[in-house]
Amino acid sequence: MYALIDGNSFYASCERVFRPELKHTAIVVLSNNDGCVVARSAEAKAMGIKMGVPYYQVQHLEKQGRLKVFSSNYELYADLSRRMMDTIAGLVPSIEVYSIDECFADLTGMENLAGIGREIRERVLRWIGIPTCVGVAPTKTLAKFCNHLAKKYPKHFGGVVVWTDWSVAIQQRALSSQSVSEVWGIGDRTATKLNKQGIVTAWDFVNADSYTLRSCYGVAIERVQRELQGIPCHELEIISDKKQHILRSRSFGKSVTKIEDLQAAISHHVSSGAEKLRQEKTQACTLSVFIQTNRFREAQPQYYGHRITSIFPTSDSIVLSRVAHDLLGSIYRSGFVYKKCGIGLGGIEQISQSDLFGSPVTHEELMQSIDQINTKFGRNTISLAAEKLGRQWHMSRQKLSPCYTTRIDSFLVIP
Protein backbone atom coordinates (compact mmCIF):
# COMPACT_ATOMS: atom_id res chain seq x y z
CA MET A 1 0.00 0.00 0.00
CA TYR A 2 1.16 3.50 -0.82
CA ALA A 3 0.29 6.88 0.65
CA LEU A 4 0.73 10.18 -1.17
CA ILE A 5 1.12 13.08 1.26
CA ASP A 6 0.87 16.54 -0.25
CA GLY A 7 1.25 19.95 1.40
CA ASN A 8 -1.79 22.12 0.69
CA SER A 9 -0.90 25.34 -1.18
CA PHE A 10 2.62 24.67 0.07
CA TYR A 11 4.37 27.99 -0.62
CA ALA A 12 1.45 29.98 0.78
CA SER A 13 1.24 27.64 3.79
CA CYS A 14 4.96 28.17 4.47
CA GLU A 15 4.37 31.92 4.63
CA ARG A 16 1.60 31.35 7.19
CA VAL A 17 3.67 29.21 9.57
CA PHE A 18 5.19 32.24 11.30
CA ARG A 19 2.31 34.59 10.42
CA PRO A 20 -0.81 33.03 12.02
CA GLU A 21 -2.79 36.23 11.43
CA LEU A 22 -2.76 35.31 7.71
CA LYS A 23 -4.62 32.02 8.28
CA HIS A 24 -7.70 33.08 6.34
CA THR A 25 -6.06 35.73 4.15
CA ALA A 26 -5.72 35.32 0.38
CA ILE A 27 -2.02 34.79 -0.41
CA VAL A 28 -0.03 34.56 -3.63
CA VAL A 29 3.68 33.90 -4.12
CA LEU A 30 5.53 35.43 -7.07
CA SER A 31 8.12 34.02 -9.45
CA ASN A 32 11.73 35.18 -9.84
CA ASN A 33 12.04 38.96 -9.94
CA ASP A 34 8.43 39.24 -8.75
CA GLY A 35 7.15 38.58 -12.25
CA CYS A 36 4.00 36.48 -12.00
CA VAL A 37 1.94 34.34 -9.64
CA VAL A 38 3.34 30.82 -9.12
CA ALA A 39 1.45 29.78 -5.98
CA ARG A 40 -1.98 30.61 -4.53
CA SER A 41 -3.80 29.91 -1.31
CA ALA A 42 -7.33 28.49 -1.47
CA GLU A 43 -8.68 31.98 -0.74
CA ALA A 44 -6.72 33.45 -3.66
CA LYS A 45 -8.04 30.73 -5.97
CA ALA A 46 -11.59 31.52 -4.82
CA MET A 47 -11.00 35.14 -5.86
CA GLY A 48 -10.38 33.92 -9.41
CA ILE A 49 -6.64 34.57 -9.48
CA LYS A 50 -5.11 32.31 -12.13
CA MET A 51 -1.74 30.60 -12.05
CA GLY A 52 0.87 32.53 -14.04
CA VAL A 53 -0.99 35.84 -14.07
CA PRO A 54 1.41 38.84 -14.06
CA TYR A 55 1.78 40.55 -10.72
CA TYR A 56 0.63 43.94 -12.00
CA GLN A 57 -2.78 42.43 -12.81
CA VAL A 58 -3.44 41.59 -9.15
CA GLN A 59 -1.59 44.53 -7.62
CA HIS A 60 -4.84 46.45 -7.12
CA LEU A 61 -6.12 43.66 -4.85
CA GLU A 62 -3.03 44.04 -2.72
CA LYS A 63 -3.53 47.81 -2.46
CA GLN A 64 -7.13 47.21 -1.42
CA GLY A 65 -5.92 44.98 1.41
CA ARG A 66 -7.67 41.92 -0.02
CA LEU A 67 -4.50 40.07 -1.01
CA LYS A 68 -1.12 39.41 0.61
CA VAL A 69 1.79 39.08 -1.82
CA PHE A 70 5.18 37.43 -1.18
CA SER A 71 8.34 37.00 -3.21
CA SER A 72 9.56 33.40 -3.52
CA ASN A 73 11.51 32.49 -0.38
CA TYR A 74 13.19 29.31 -1.64
CA GLU A 75 15.39 28.92 1.43
CA LEU A 76 12.41 28.92 3.79
CA TYR A 77 10.36 26.58 1.60
CA ALA A 78 13.20 24.08 1.21
CA ASP A 79 13.88 23.95 4.94
CA LEU A 80 10.21 23.50 5.89
CA SER A 81 9.95 20.82 3.20
CA ARG A 82 12.89 18.96 4.73
CA ARG A 83 11.29 19.16 8.17
CA MET A 84 7.97 17.94 6.79
CA MET A 85 9.58 14.95 5.07
CA ASP A 86 11.54 14.05 8.21
CA THR A 87 8.35 14.17 10.25
CA ILE A 88 6.52 11.86 7.84
CA ALA A 89 9.49 9.49 7.70
CA GLY A 90 9.22 9.05 11.45
CA LEU A 91 5.76 7.51 11.11
CA VAL A 92 6.21 5.09 8.19
CA PRO A 93 8.75 2.44 7.12
CA SER A 94 10.09 4.46 4.18
CA ILE A 95 9.31 7.42 1.94
CA GLU A 96 10.09 8.64 -1.56
CA VAL A 97 10.37 12.42 -1.79
CA TYR A 98 8.61 13.23 -5.04
CA SER A 99 8.76 17.04 -4.99
CA ILE A 100 9.26 19.88 -2.54
CA ASP A 101 5.70 19.54 -1.23
CA GLU A 102 4.82 15.87 -1.63
CA CYS A 103 6.11 12.37 -1.00
CA PHE A 104 5.05 8.75 -1.32
CA ALA A 105 5.13 6.55 1.78
CA ASP A 106 5.22 2.76 2.05
CA LEU A 107 2.36 1.50 4.25
CA THR A 108 2.70 -2.18 3.33
CA GLY A 109 1.60 -4.44 6.19
CA MET A 110 0.27 -1.59 8.31
CA GLU A 111 -3.26 -1.61 9.70
CA ASN A 112 -5.85 1.14 10.22
CA LEU A 113 -4.65 3.07 7.17
CA ALA A 114 -7.14 5.89 7.64
CA GLY A 115 -5.88 6.32 11.20
CA ILE A 116 -2.28 6.47 9.97
CA GLY A 117 -3.28 9.09 7.41
CA ARG A 118 -4.93 11.22 10.10
CA GLU A 119 -1.90 10.84 12.36
CA ILE A 120 0.42 12.00 9.57
CA ARG A 121 -1.76 15.05 8.92
CA GLU A 122 -2.02 15.94 12.61
CA ARG A 123 1.68 15.55 13.33
CA VAL A 124 2.85 17.55 10.29
CA LEU A 125 0.38 20.32 11.15
CA ARG A 126 1.36 20.32 14.83
CA TRP A 127 5.13 20.02 14.39
CA ILE A 128 5.68 21.97 11.15
CA GLY A 129 2.52 24.04 10.69
CA ILE A 130 1.78 22.78 7.15
CA PRO A 131 -1.73 21.44 6.35
CA THR A 132 -1.66 18.28 4.22
CA CYS A 133 -3.92 15.77 2.48
CA VAL A 134 -3.30 12.02 2.30
CA GLY A 135 -4.36 9.51 -0.35
CA VAL A 136 -3.84 5.78 0.29
CA ALA A 137 -4.13 3.03 -2.34
CA PRO A 138 -2.51 -0.16 -3.70
CA THR A 139 -0.70 1.77 -6.47
CA LYS A 140 1.06 5.12 -6.66
CA THR A 141 -1.29 6.41 -9.37
CA LEU A 142 -4.37 5.52 -7.33
CA ALA A 143 -2.78 7.06 -4.24
CA LYS A 144 -2.28 10.27 -6.22
CA PHE A 145 -5.90 10.09 -7.38
CA CYS A 146 -7.12 9.61 -3.79
CA ASN A 147 -5.01 12.56 -2.68
CA HIS A 148 -6.67 14.66 -5.38
CA LEU A 149 -10.10 13.72 -4.03
CA ALA A 150 -9.05 14.43 -0.44
CA LYS A 151 -7.84 17.89 -1.45
CA LYS A 152 -10.84 18.67 -3.66
CA TYR A 153 -13.45 17.61 -1.09
CA PRO A 154 -11.92 18.40 2.32
CA LYS A 155 -15.26 18.60 4.15
CA HIS A 156 -16.37 15.19 2.88
CA PHE A 157 -13.19 13.23 3.59
CA GLY A 158 -11.37 15.21 6.29
CA GLY A 159 -8.19 15.28 4.25
CA VAL A 160 -7.72 11.49 4.06
CA VAL A 161 -8.99 9.06 1.40
CA VAL A 162 -8.26 5.30 1.56
CA TRP A 163 -9.14 3.55 -1.69
CA THR A 164 -9.61 0.11 -0.16
CA ASP A 165 -12.11 1.43 2.38
CA TRP A 166 -14.59 1.98 -0.46
CA SER A 167 -16.82 -0.56 -2.14
CA VAL A 168 -16.39 -1.27 -5.86
CA ALA A 169 -19.48 0.82 -6.57
CA ILE A 170 -18.09 3.85 -4.74
CA GLN A 171 -14.70 3.45 -6.43
CA GLN A 172 -16.45 3.43 -9.81
CA ARG A 173 -18.44 6.52 -8.90
CA ALA A 174 -15.25 8.32 -7.82
CA LEU A 175 -13.50 7.51 -11.10
CA SER A 176 -16.57 8.56 -13.08
CA SER A 177 -16.71 11.92 -11.30
CA GLN A 178 -13.24 13.07 -12.37
CA SER A 179 -11.88 14.07 -15.76
CA VAL A 180 -9.20 11.89 -17.30
CA SER A 181 -6.94 14.96 -17.18
CA GLU A 182 -6.87 14.61 -13.37
CA VAL A 183 -5.08 11.25 -13.62
CA TRP A 184 -1.39 11.43 -12.71
CA GLY A 185 0.70 10.88 -15.83
CA ILE A 186 -1.82 12.21 -18.36
CA GLY A 187 -1.02 15.68 -19.64
CA ASP A 188 -3.38 18.16 -21.25
CA ARG A 189 -2.45 17.18 -24.81
CA THR A 190 -2.96 13.49 -24.15
CA ALA A 191 -6.24 14.22 -22.37
CA THR A 192 -7.47 16.19 -25.38
CA LYS A 193 -6.66 13.30 -27.71
CA LEU A 194 -8.36 10.83 -25.35
CA ASN A 195 -11.45 13.03 -25.23
CA LYS A 196 -11.70 12.87 -29.02
CA GLN A 197 -11.73 9.08 -28.70
CA GLY A 198 -14.61 9.24 -26.24
CA ILE A 199 -12.42 8.76 -23.15
CA VAL A 200 -13.58 11.66 -20.99
CA THR A 201 -13.53 10.45 -17.39
CA ALA A 202 -11.04 8.44 -15.36
CA TRP A 203 -13.55 5.57 -15.43
CA ASP A 204 -13.62 5.69 -19.23
CA PHE A 205 -9.83 5.45 -19.18
CA VAL A 206 -9.87 2.44 -16.84
CA ASN A 207 -12.19 0.57 -19.22
CA ALA A 208 -10.49 1.60 -22.49
CA ASP A 209 -8.90 -1.08 -24.65
CA SER A 210 -5.32 -1.53 -23.42
CA TYR A 211 -3.97 -2.57 -26.81
CA THR A 212 -5.38 0.58 -28.42
CA LEU A 213 -3.93 2.80 -25.71
CA ARG A 214 -0.50 1.25 -26.12
CA SER A 215 -0.66 1.56 -29.91
CA CYS A 216 -1.65 5.23 -29.78
CA TYR A 217 0.25 6.52 -26.76
CA GLY A 218 2.96 4.01 -25.87
CA VAL A 219 3.67 1.78 -22.93
CA ALA A 220 3.82 4.65 -20.42
CA ILE A 221 0.09 5.40 -20.79
CA GLU A 222 -0.73 1.70 -20.66
CA ARG A 223 1.09 1.53 -17.32
CA VAL A 224 -0.95 4.48 -16.05
CA GLN A 225 -4.10 2.55 -16.91
CA ARG A 226 -2.88 -0.59 -15.15
CA GLU A 227 -2.00 1.43 -12.06
CA LEU A 228 -5.46 2.97 -12.09
CA GLN A 229 -6.88 -0.56 -12.33
CA GLY A 230 -5.00 -1.44 -9.14
CA ILE A 231 -2.07 -3.25 -10.77
CA PRO A 232 1.26 -1.88 -9.41
CA CYS A 233 3.74 -0.85 -12.10
CA HIS A 234 5.88 1.60 -10.11
CA GLU A 235 7.70 0.79 -6.90
CA LEU A 236 8.81 3.21 -4.22
CA GLU A 237 12.11 4.86 -5.19
CA ILE A 238 13.67 5.26 -1.78
CA ILE A 239 17.17 6.06 -3.04
CA SER A 240 17.12 9.01 -5.43
CA ASP A 241 19.34 8.90 -8.49
CA LYS A 242 22.46 11.00 -8.50
CA LYS A 243 22.20 14.00 -10.77
CA GLN A 244 23.80 13.51 -14.17
CA HIS A 245 23.83 17.20 -15.00
CA ILE A 246 23.50 20.29 -12.82
CA LEU A 247 22.28 23.62 -14.20
CA ARG A 248 22.24 26.89 -12.31
CA SER A 249 20.90 30.05 -13.92
CA ARG A 250 18.74 33.03 -13.08
CA SER A 251 17.51 36.24 -14.65
CA PHE A 252 18.90 39.41 -13.12
CA GLY A 253 16.81 41.81 -11.06
CA LYS A 254 18.27 44.61 -13.19
CA SER A 255 20.04 44.32 -16.52
CA VAL A 256 23.83 44.47 -16.30
CA THR A 257 26.58 45.62 -18.63
CA LYS A 258 29.76 45.23 -16.55
CA ILE A 259 31.73 41.99 -16.52
CA GLU A 260 32.15 42.33 -12.73
CA ASP A 261 28.43 41.77 -12.21
CA LEU A 262 28.54 38.74 -14.48
CA GLN A 263 31.56 37.38 -12.63
CA ALA A 264 29.71 37.72 -9.32
CA ALA A 265 26.65 35.93 -10.65
CA ILE A 266 28.69 33.15 -12.26
CA SER A 267 30.63 32.59 -9.02
CA HIS A 268 27.34 32.35 -7.11
CA HIS A 269 25.96 29.75 -9.52
CA VAL A 270 29.21 27.78 -9.45
CA SER A 271 29.18 27.70 -5.64
CA SER A 272 25.59 26.45 -5.62
CA GLY A 273 26.34 23.72 -8.16
CA ALA A 274 29.55 22.66 -6.43
CA GLU A 275 27.73 22.43 -3.09
CA LYS A 276 25.23 20.04 -4.70
CA LEU A 277 28.11 17.92 -6.02
CA ARG A 278 29.61 17.66 -2.57
CA GLN A 279 26.26 16.76 -1.02
CA GLU A 280 25.95 13.82 -3.42
CA LYS A 281 29.67 12.97 -3.15
CA THR A 282 30.18 13.41 -6.89
CA GLN A 283 32.47 15.40 -9.16
CA ALA A 284 32.02 17.15 -12.49
CA CYS A 285 34.16 16.58 -15.58
CA THR A 286 32.78 19.41 -17.73
CA LEU A 287 31.85 23.02 -17.03
CA SER A 288 29.89 25.36 -19.27
CA VAL A 289 29.02 29.05 -18.98
CA PHE A 290 26.46 31.12 -20.87
CA ILE A 291 25.36 34.77 -20.91
CA GLN A 292 22.48 36.31 -22.83
CA THR A 293 20.67 39.57 -23.41
CA ASN A 294 16.94 40.13 -22.96
CA ARG A 295 15.28 38.52 -25.98
CA PHE A 296 12.04 40.36 -25.21
CA ARG A 297 13.74 43.71 -25.75
CA GLU A 298 13.88 43.39 -29.52
CA ALA A 299 14.96 46.99 -29.98
CA GLN A 300 18.21 46.28 -28.12
CA PRO A 301 21.21 44.47 -29.68
CA GLN A 302 20.95 40.73 -29.01
CA TYR A 303 23.75 38.38 -28.04
CA TYR A 304 24.11 34.87 -26.66
CA GLY A 305 27.49 33.56 -25.60
CA HIS A 306 28.23 29.97 -24.56
CA ARG A 307 31.37 27.90 -24.00
CA ILE A 308 32.07 24.50 -22.49
CA THR A 309 35.33 22.87 -21.43
CA SER A 310 36.56 19.63 -19.94
CA ILE A 311 38.04 19.76 -16.45
CA PHE A 312 39.76 17.39 -14.06
CA PRO A 313 36.95 15.83 -11.97
CA THR A 314 36.25 18.16 -9.05
CA SER A 315 33.61 19.60 -6.73
CA ASP A 316 35.86 22.39 -5.49
CA SER A 317 34.10 25.77 -5.68
CA ILE A 318 37.35 27.71 -5.96
CA VAL A 319 38.72 25.59 -8.82
CA LEU A 320 35.41 25.65 -10.68
CA SER A 321 35.03 29.40 -10.21
CA ARG A 322 38.45 30.08 -11.74
CA VAL A 323 37.64 28.00 -14.81
CA ALA A 324 34.21 29.62 -15.09
CA HIS A 325 35.72 33.10 -15.04
CA ASP A 326 38.10 32.12 -17.85
CA LEU A 327 35.15 30.88 -19.90
CA LEU A 328 33.18 34.03 -19.14
CA GLY A 329 36.09 36.21 -20.26
CA SER A 330 36.18 34.42 -23.61
CA ILE A 331 32.49 34.96 -24.36
CA TYR A 332 31.88 38.38 -22.80
CA ARG A 333 31.27 41.21 -25.26
CA SER A 334 31.08 44.83 -24.13
CA GLY A 335 28.30 47.05 -25.42
CA PHE A 336 25.50 44.60 -24.64
CA VAL A 337 22.90 44.72 -21.90
CA TYR A 338 22.74 41.30 -20.25
CA LYS A 339 19.67 39.85 -18.55
CA LYS A 340 20.67 36.29 -17.64
CA CYS A 341 23.63 34.00 -17.12
CA GLY A 342 24.22 30.48 -15.92
CA ILE A 343 26.52 27.50 -15.60
CA GLY A 344 26.28 23.78 -16.31
CA LEU A 345 28.16 20.94 -14.63
CA GLY A 346 28.31 17.72 -16.61
CA GLY A 347 30.10 14.41 -16.89
CA ILE A 348 29.22 13.87 -13.24
CA GLU A 349 30.80 10.81 -11.70
CA GLN A 350 31.07 9.35 -8.23
CA ILE A 351 34.63 8.10 -8.32
CA SER A 352 37.33 10.01 -10.14
CA GLN A 353 40.39 8.49 -11.73
CA SER A 354 43.75 9.58 -10.33
CA ASP A 355 45.89 11.92 -12.40
CA LEU A 356 48.98 10.15 -13.80
CA PHE A 357 51.05 13.32 -13.35
CA GLY A 358 49.78 14.29 -9.90
CA SER A 359 46.49 15.43 -8.49
CA PRO A 360 45.47 19.06 -9.04
CA VAL A 361 45.33 21.58 -6.20
CA THR A 362 42.11 21.21 -4.20
CA HIS A 363 40.68 22.69 -1.03
CA GLU A 364 38.81 19.71 0.37
CA GLU A 365 39.02 20.65 4.05
CA LEU A 366 38.11 24.25 3.29
CA MET A 367 35.06 23.15 1.29
CA GLN A 368 33.95 20.91 4.17
CA SER A 369 34.30 23.79 6.61
CA ILE A 370 32.33 26.15 4.38
CA ASP A 371 29.53 23.60 3.96
CA GLN A 372 29.35 22.99 7.71
CA ILE A 373 29.21 26.71 8.52
CA ASN A 374 26.56 27.42 5.87
CA THR A 375 24.51 24.49 7.08
CA LYS A 376 24.61 25.72 10.66
CA PHE A 377 24.25 29.46 10.15
CA GLY A 378 22.42 29.71 6.83
CA ARG A 379 23.24 29.59 3.15
CA ASN A 380 25.86 32.08 1.91
CA THR A 381 27.08 32.85 5.44
CA ILE A 382 30.46 32.21 3.81
CA SER A 383 30.81 32.70 0.08
CA LEU A 384 33.50 33.27 -2.52
CA ALA A 385 34.91 36.80 -2.60
CA ALA A 386 34.13 36.92 -6.33
CA GLU A 387 30.41 36.89 -5.49
CA LYS A 388 30.88 40.37 -4.03
CA LEU A 389 32.27 41.91 -7.22
CA GLY A 390 28.83 43.27 -8.08
CA ARG A 391 25.27 43.24 -6.78
CA GLN A 392 23.34 44.45 -9.81
CA TRP A 393 22.67 40.84 -10.80
CA HIS A 394 20.69 39.89 -7.69
CA MET A 395 17.04 38.98 -8.13
CA SER A 396 14.44 41.62 -7.37
CA ARG A 397 12.48 40.28 -4.39
CA GLN A 398 10.82 43.30 -2.88
CA LYS A 399 8.31 41.26 -0.88
CA LEU A 400 10.62 38.63 0.59
CA SER A 401 9.69 37.26 3.99
CA PRO A 402 12.40 36.43 6.59
CA CYS A 403 14.20 33.07 6.47
CA TYR A 404 12.84 32.23 9.90
CA THR A 405 14.42 28.78 10.24
CA THR A 406 17.80 29.12 8.52
CA ARG A 407 19.22 32.55 9.35
CA ILE A 408 20.06 33.69 12.85
CA ASP A 409 19.23 37.31 12.05
CA SER A 410 15.74 36.22 10.93
CA PHE A 411 14.80 34.23 14.03
CA LEU A 412 11.66 35.36 15.79
CA VAL A 413 12.43 37.23 18.99
CA ILE A 414 9.95 37.16 21.87
CA PRO A 415 10.39 40.22 24.14
Side-chain angles (χ1 to χ4, degrees), residues 11 27-32 34-41 44-45 49-59 61 67-70 72:
Y11 284 6
I27 295 173
V28 297
V29 178
L30 304 177
S31 62
N32 292 348
D34 296 341
C36 58
V37 173
V38 294
R40 306 158 293 161
S41 66
K45 295 176 184 177
I49 298 176
K50 303 296 184 183
M51 182 70 79
V53 65
Y55 167 53
Y56 72 85
Q57 293 186 12
V58 299
Q59 197 169 16
L61 298 173
L67 181 69
K68 186 67 176 178
V69 180
F70 290 96
S72 292

Side-chain angles (χ1 to χ4, degrees), residues 12-259:
S13 294
C14 288
E15 298 293 352
R16 283 175 169 157
V17 170
F18 296 94
R19 297 283 302 276
E21 76 276 13
L22 300 178
K23 183 175 181 180
H24 300 294
T25 302
I27 295 173
V28 297
V29 178
L30 304 177
S31 62
N32 292 348
N33 296 310
D34 296 341
C36 58
V37 173
V38 294
R40 306 158 293 161
S41 66
E43 295 81 2
K45 295 176 184 177
M47 292 172 65
I49 298 176
K50 303 296 184 183
M51 182 70 79
V53 65
Y55 167 53
Y56 72 85
Q57 293 186 12
V58 299
Q59 197 169 16
H60 66 286
L61 298 173
E62 181 185 21
K63 292 179 179 179
Q64 294 170 6
R66 299 168 58 194
L67 181 69
K68 186 67 176 178
V69 180
F70 290 96
S71 301
S72 292
N73 191 337
Y74 302 114
E75 192 170 337
L76 174 66
Y77 307 155
D79 188 64
L80 290 181
S81 171
R82 178 188 60 79
R83 293 167 185 250
M84 184 178 89
M85 300 308 172
D86 289 346
T87 300
I88 296 169
L91 291 169
V92 298
S94 58
I95 68 170
E96 173 196 338
V97 178
Y98 181 67
S99 66
I100 191 171
D101 64 340
E102 59 186 330
C103 70
F104 287 100
D106 180 11
L107 304 186
T108 303
M110 303 184 75
E111 300 179 353
N112 188 14
L113 300 177
I116 294 172
R118 288 190 291 269
E119 185 178 2
I120 289 173
R121 293 188 74 239
E122 291 167 2
R123 183 172 293 189
V124 172
L125 183 61
R126 184 169 65 251
W127 287 14
I128 314 301
I130 302 294
T132 58
C133 285
V134 181
V136 182
T139 70
K140 293 170 76 172
T141 302
L142 273 175
K144 186 83 170 176
F145 183 75
C146 289
N147 180 277
H148 163 72
L149 294 175
K151 185 176 293 187
K152 189 172 183 178
Y153 307 105
K155 294 182 179 179
H156 290 81
F157 304 123
V160 178
V161 169
V162 180
W163 186 252
T164 51
D165 284 353
W166 289 348
S167 66
V168 174
I170 295 178
Q171 291 175 354
Q172 178 180 338
R173 193 166 68 185
L175 290 166
S176 299
S177 69
Q178 302 301 307
S179 167
V180 68
S181 62
E182 299 293 349
V183 177
W184 183 45
I186 296 181
D188 291 338
R189 291 184 179 180
T190 302
T192 300
K193 294 178 181 178
L194 290 169
N195 290 167
K196 292 179 180 179
Q197 293 179 276
I199 303 173
V200 178
T201 68
W203 178 245
D204 295 333
F205 181 71
V206 167
N207 291 282
D209 181 70
S210 299
Y211 177 79
T212 301
L213 287 177
R214 181 166 187 166
S215 299
C216 296
Y217 306 101
V219 68
I221 295 300
E222 183 187 14
R223 287 174 180 165
V224 173
Q225 184 197 40
R226 290 186 180 278
E227 286 255 323
L228 212 59
Q229 292 170 342
I231 305 171
C233 296
H234 302 289
E235 297 180 352
L236 208 66
E237 298 179 9
I238 300 173
I239 301 176
S240 59
D241 293 333
K242 303 288 186 181
K243 291 191 177 296
Q244 301 301 308
H245 198 78
I246 294 176
L247 295 174
R248 292 291 187 271
S249 67
R250 191 167 292 169
S251 296
F252 306 140
K254 298 179 181 179
S255 297
V256 305
T257 57
K258 298 180 180 179
I259 192 171

Side-chain angles (χ1 to χ4, degrees), residues 327-348:
L327 294 177
L328 174 63
S330 68
I331 60 177
Y332 172 75
R333 301 290 183 271
S334 61
F336 291 96
V337 180
Y338 296 98
K339 184 60 177 176
K340 187 176 183 179
C341 74
I343 63 99
L345 297 169
I348 295 175

